[in-house]
Amino acid sequence: KVALVNPNTNQATTDAMVSISRAVAPDWLLIEGVTVKNGVPLIAEPSALAVAADAVVALAPQLTTYDAVIIGAFGDPGRERLAQALSSVPVVGIGESSMTEASQLSDNCFSVAQPLPGLNACIRALATSCGCGDALRSVCSPEAGCDTSAVMASAESIEHTLAELVQRAIDADGAKAGVI
């Protein structure tokens, strides 16, 4: 039984993450969504990432019955502190996991494409903390000051934006793999 923790307060996002995860997980794996109680509906800047980290750690008492916990936001808010609080339960974040995988698959030459420019420095810091800093070629996001609500308005808009960013990473940065 795995808890998929959404560090955003948006229940619809949790439901979507769980649906996508269940579609690719083996039938024997039970995935349950857990949404933080406090915070923001969209983590778009470092201060929101810090608030989300505290909200994730506050979930520790209710996560002790799970066999594993996945932090379902790319900045992995609260992952290290939650792992300490749940010393007998593995805790992984989608940011660290995907960057580690991309680094291995790309001969240490990957980029991150993400729709929220306010988090670029945090993503670079995460790459460094998980040992992938030298392999990270770029963090590609829309220009600072862009209308993030328009980018995040629909799955199609997000996919379109990310496709453009991945192509930019390949063309401009020489990345051999991309993390979205």
Side-chain angles (χ1 to χ4, degrees), residues 143-161:
E143 298 300 320
C146 77
D147 182 2
T148 56
S149 61
V151 171
M152 302 300 288
S154 68
E156 293 80 19
S157 175
I158 295 168
E159 287 176 22
H160 175 76
T161 299

Side-chain angles (χ1 to χ4, degrees), residues 54-89:
D54 291 340
V56 165
V57 174
L59 294 172
Q62 79 183 67
L63 298 174
T64 60
T65 61
Y66 289 91
D67 298 306
V69 176
I70 300 170
I71 307 299
F74 201 78
D76 296 348
R79 184 192 58 77
E80 290 179 5
R81 290 173 33 215
L82 185 62
Q84 290 174 347
L86 302 174
S87 59
S88 63
V89 177

Side-chain angles (χ1 to χ4, degrees), residues 22-112:
R22 287 180 179 162
V24 297
D27 292 337
W28 54 264
L29 185 63
L30 176 61
I31 299 172
E32 294 182 356
V34 179
T35 306
V36 296
K37 307 290 185 239
N38 302 306
V40 297
L42 177 65
I43 301 168
E45 74 271 335
S47 62
L49 197 58
V51 169
D54 291 340
V56 165
V57 174
L59 294 172
Q62 79 183 67
L63 298 174
T64 60
T65 61
Y66 289 91
D67 298 306
V69 176
I70 300 170
I71 307 299
F74 201 78
D76 296 348
R79 184 192 58 77
E80 290 179 5
R81 290 173 33 215
L82 185 62
Q84 290 174 347
L86 302 174
S87 59
S88 63
V89 177
V91 177
V92 298
I94 63 172
E96 178 181 13
S97 298
S98 60
M99 284 193 273
T100 300
E101 184 74 6
S103 181
Q104 292 170 355
L105 292 174
S106 69
D107 229 7
N108 293 316
C109 184
F110 73 96
S111 289
V112 172

Side-chain angles (χ1 to χ4, degrees), residues 7-18:
N8 299 301
T9 59
N10 187 322
Q11 184 62 46
T13 300
T14 305
D15 296 342
M17 289 190 307
V18 169

